[in-house]
Amino acid sequence: MNAGTVANVLVCVPTTATPTQIQQQICPKIGSQFYQPRQTQAYLLDTSQQNNFEAAFAQFDYGYASAIWAMSFSTVIGLYFVSHGIGLVIGMIRRG
């Protein structure tokens, strides 16, 4: 499954030399800093994958994780006691 594509993009990089008029139209000057356009390859993500990346980089929810852990732990302990009780009943029946 592809999450995006590789494409050539233009980025504005800082430069010390004064760029040409066309370069200044593409990358305008900010303050006293001149910028110059450069071509580079970039991996562009599909918009359909946005939710996956936002979920992966979201802040960890400790409250939700602790609730899941508590439920799982309670289930395991409950199953242990149920199994232990069934074992006691079966043992009592076997011994007669």
Side-chain angles (χ1 to χ4, degrees):
M1 178 168 124
N2 289 338
T5 58
V6 176
N8 291 326
V9 295
L10 286 177
V11 293
C12 296
V13 294
T15 183
T16 56
T18 305
T20 64
Q21 188 68 23
I22 295 173
Q23 290 175 337
Q24 286 183 18
Q25 288 176 352
I26 296 171
C27 295
K29 176 176 137 177
I30 299 175
S32 62
Q33 179 66 55
F34 288 106
Y35 292 90
Q36 193 172 28
R38 291 256 170 92
Q39 181 180 355
T40 187
Q41 281 191 339
Y43 191 74
L44 303 177
L45 298 174
D46 287 340
T47 55
S48 63
Q49 299 296 323
Q50 179 181 0
N51 291 338
N52 296 339
F53 284 95
E54 286 180 357
F57 292 109
Q59 198 171 26
F60 189 73
D61 188 359
Y62 290 98
Y64 182 73
S66 65
I68 295 294
W69 186 89
M71 183 192 70
S72 302
F73 184 74
S74 300
T75 302
V76 169
I77 296 299
L79 287 174
Y80 170 78
F81 284 126
V82 167
S83 300
H84 183 68
I86 291 172
L88 289 175
V89 170
I90 289 175
M92 186 174 63
I93 292 172
R94 199 164 54 175
R95 287 188 199 93

